Amino acid sequence: MPDATDQAFYDRADAHIELSNEQLKILENLGQVSASMMFGTTRFNAWASARNFKSGAEMAEAREAMLKYFCEQYRMMLEDNLDDHINNFSQYMTAPKPQ
């Protein structure tokens, strides 16, 4: 993530993670909770993107550009977080699991 990202960005992300951790306490299925979070993110991003267009046809013209943007952003953020977990594996994985 860029260094210019403000703390509120991370606070919002942490709020989503906390909700998933709460769901994990009930469901106890990490894969299902993760899939739901990813689906919610994609649905929200599709809705947020649609707000920038006047018609479905106009949105369809930009579909590939939107896919490229969101896939690149997801990959960049995932790479950063994977690297963080690789570099801090012992610290992160010995911490107590969410309850």
Side-chain angles (χ1 to χ4, degrees):
M1 292 306 312
D3 292 334
T5 303
D6 64 7
Q7 186 58 44
F9 172 90
Y10 294 105
D11 292 344
R12 288 188 301 273
D14 288 345
H16 290 284
I17 293 167
E18 181 59 32
L19 174 60
S20 290
N21 285 334
E22 289 298 316
Q23 292 172 348
L24 192 54
K25 290 179 189 177
I26 298 165
L27 185 59
E28 296 182 357
N29 186 313
L30 185 60
Q32 288 179 351
V33 172
S34 177
S36 295
M37 185 179 202
M38 193 174 345
F39 179 79
T41 298
T42 62
R43 188 165 66 182
F44 181 84
N45 285 336
W47 172 80
S49 296
R51 294 175 49 119
N52 295 312
F53 298 97
K54 294 178 182 164
S55 69
E58 183 184 6
M59 187 176 178
E61 289 179 22
R63 184 178 187 273
E64 288 305 313
M66 289 184 291
L67 283 169
K68 183 176 187 255
Y69 169 78
F70 283 114
C71 288
E72 286 174 354
Q73 291 297 304
Y74 182 87
R75 182 178 182 101
M76 180 184 69
M77 292 177 194
L78 181 58
E79 286 176 346
D80 287 347
N81 281 289
L82 286 173
D83 290 345
D84 181 43
H85 278 72
I86 289 166
N87 294 326
N88 297 290
F89 188 86
S90 295
Q91 175 188 349
Y92 291 167
M93 300 314 290
T94 57
K97 293 187 178 16
Q99 299 179 10

